[in-house]
Amino acid sequence: MPQGAQQAGQVAEVTLAFDDNRYALLVFGHYDQNIAQVERRLGVSAHANGNHITIKGPRGACEQARHVFEMLYERVKLGHPVTLGDVDGAIEEEWAQGNLFPGESETVRPGFEQISIRRRGVVRARTEAQDHYLRTLKQSELVFAEGPAGTGKTWLAVAFAVSLLEQGRVDRLILSRPAVEAGERLGFLPGDMRDKVDPYLRPIFDALNDFMDPRLLERGLQTGMIEVAPLAFMRGRTLSNSCILLDEAQNATSIQMKMFLTRLGENSRMIVTGDPTQTDLPPGQKSGLSEAITLLSSLEGIGHVVFREADVVRHDLVRRIVGAYEAAARVETVTEKGFGRR
């Protein structure tokens, strides 16, 4: 695909020509927003003209940009949209491949892990942590995933659960959250049981709507093939032939977590996600998530994935917000330790 590459010292120029102008326009993005994102992230300059794009900058960065545009073009050819998040994902994948396999051609370098879902097609990891997460979900019967908001913990867990259901590897999806008020007193909620728990479980419903046709989702909820319920509803049950997800698990107590984990039945998978730094439990009460990770993550058959600030895949501003809070927390911890020594 490259038409030519010229190097002058440390500066290189690479020109790509795509076969289909329509696909090329989708790769470049509305008002070339995808090109601008590549320029900003990789430190190159790029100019599109028809189905051609010329990239200038340091040789290594130009090659990275070339691989990114080629990956995006292949995605568009498969009928998938390209968002700014997909651009960031392609850049992260290129960085990871370059670090793991320096000097090797892209034909022998494995890409980030992916899963297939009927409604969305291919769902691909966008960061190394997400890649590790998907691989762990495929290999382990019980997976703990911890990290800040916006890293895709819940979204990918629901995607994986839906893919298992579509493949016939499980018969049911059981998705749960602790019904804990996040610093607010919600008071009495009107309606039936589904109306009452909906505010607590809305993020899970949102993820399900991303991956399933609304009619199939509603039918699944009516037949019990898909169950979305508060954590308290898990007590006394044995969950076989199911994929079971506990989200916001940092708000589960030790007793609740033990109760939930022991629901695991034959031919089932269990995924537990949460952010131990964001617990809404009363002061002094231990989070069941942190305790379970400490006690169980080294056991055979159990996977443990940790997401960091750099793995946030929402808006760039979200990543900076998470980073600012984490930096403040580190300073506060150091200050407290300093006073403790005195």
Side-chain angles (χ1 to χ4, degrees):
M1 193 177 295
Q3 297 299 300
Q6 302 170 350
Q7 184 179 4
Q10 294 299 315
V11 179
E13 179 177 312
V14 175
T15 299
L16 298 177
F18 297 108
D19 299 330
D20 192 305
N21 281 21
R22 296 169 301 169
Y23 291 161
L25 290 175
L26 294 174
V27 169
F28 301 155
H30 192 51
Y31 294 116
D32 292 343
Q33 64 177 0
N34 296 339
I35 295 177
Q37 186 80 339
V38 172
E39 289 179 318
R40 187 180 66 80
R41 292 289 304 276
L42 294 179
V44 298
S45 63
H47 175 71
N49 183 13
N51 65 328
H52 290 71
I53 182 168
T54 301
I55 309 163
K56 297 180 181 179
R59 180 178 180 181
C62 284
E63 286 302 308
Q64 289 177 331
R66 176 174 71 84
H67 290 143
V68 167
F69 284 118
E70 288 174 344
M71 280 191 280
L72 296 176
Y73 187 74
E74 291 302 315
R75 178 178 175 83
V76 168
K77 284 172 62 178
L78 293 173
H80 303 311
V82 173
T83 66
L84 289 177
D86 295 316
V87 176
D88 285 336
I91 292 170
E92 295 287 342
E93 183 171 350
E94 171 58 25
W95 281 341
Q97 290 177 344
N99 290 333
L100 291 173
F101 304 93
E104 295 187 14
S105 69
E106 63 264 40
T107 59
V108 300
R109 296 182 302 177
F112 279 172
E113 194 68 23
Q114 61 187 35
I115 51 180
S116 296
I117 298 174
R118 291 171 192 161
R119 187 177 188 193
R120 292 186 68 99
V122 172
V123 175
R124 194 184 191 97
R126 290 182 177 178
T127 66
E128 285 189 78
Q130 286 191 352
D131 177 57
H132 176 47
Y133 187 31
L134 288 181
R135 294 178 191 276
T136 303
L137 287 172
K138 293 180 178 182
Q139 296 168 0
S140 303
E141 294 176 298
L142 169 59
V143 176
F144 291 101
E146 60 170 309
T151 51
K153 304 184 303 297
T154 302
W155 196 77
L156 286 176
V158 174
F160 179 71
V162 171
S163 73
L164 292 182
L165 186 66
E166 290 182 347
Q167 294 167 31
R169 295 173 60 186
V170 298
D171 298 330
R172 291 185 300 166
L173 303 187
I174 301 172
L175 314 174
S176 184
R177 270 186 164 201
V180 176
E181 296 170 351
E184 301 178 50
R185 307 304 301 174
L186 299 180
F188 174 77
L189 294 173
D192 59 19
M193 181 56 66
R194 183 168 171 181
D195 293 327
K196 293 178 188 296
V197 301
D198 187 83
Y200 300 104
L201 303 172
R202 176 46 48 189
I204 292 179
F205 281 113
D206 289 343
L208 282 171
N209 278 302
D210 276 346
F211 300 116
M212 297 187 71
D213 180 272
R215 292 173 298 176
L216 295 177
L217 174 56
E218 188 59 35
R219 187 183 309 157
L221 291 168
Q222 291 175 354
T223 60
M225 184 178 67
I226 301 172
E227 181 180 346
V228 184
L231 176 57
F233 283 40
M234 300 297 108
R235 188 173 299 279
R237 305 172 64 184
T238 300
L239 306 174
S240 303
N241 301 309
S242 304
C243 184
I244 311 130
L245 166 64
L246 177 61
D247 189 36
E248 295 291 331
Q250 75 275 4
N251 290 328
T253 65
S254 296
I255 294 175
Q256 287 176 322
M257 181 61 71
K258 181 180 178 182
M259 177 273 293
F260 177 79
L261 295 175
T262 53
R263 302 307 95 200
L264 186 64
E266 291 292 327
N267 192 38
S268 287
R269 296 293 188 95
M270 186 172 278
I271 311 166
V272 180
T273 68
D275 181 359
T277 67
Q278 295 294 317
T279 179
D280 296 308
L281 292 171
Q285 190 164 26
K286 183 188 298 184
S287 169
L289 175 61
S290 298
E291 181 184 53
I293 289 172
T294 301
L295 293 175
L296 307 176
S297 59
S298 61
L299 299 182
E300 183 179 354
I302 297 178
H304 178 213
V305 179
V306 179
F307 291 89
R308 308 291 185 189
E309 166 202 338
D311 300 311
V312 173
V313 292
R314 289 181 186 165
H315 194 287
D316 278 347
L317 188 56
V318 175
R319 187 182 312 204
R320 295 197 293 272
I321 290 171
V322 171
Y325 274 101
E326 288 191 352
R330 288 193 292 268
V331 170
E332 184 176 346
T333 300
V334 171
T335 302
E336 288 176 353
K337 288 182 178 179
F339 281 117
R341 285 194 295 267
R342 295 176 187 176

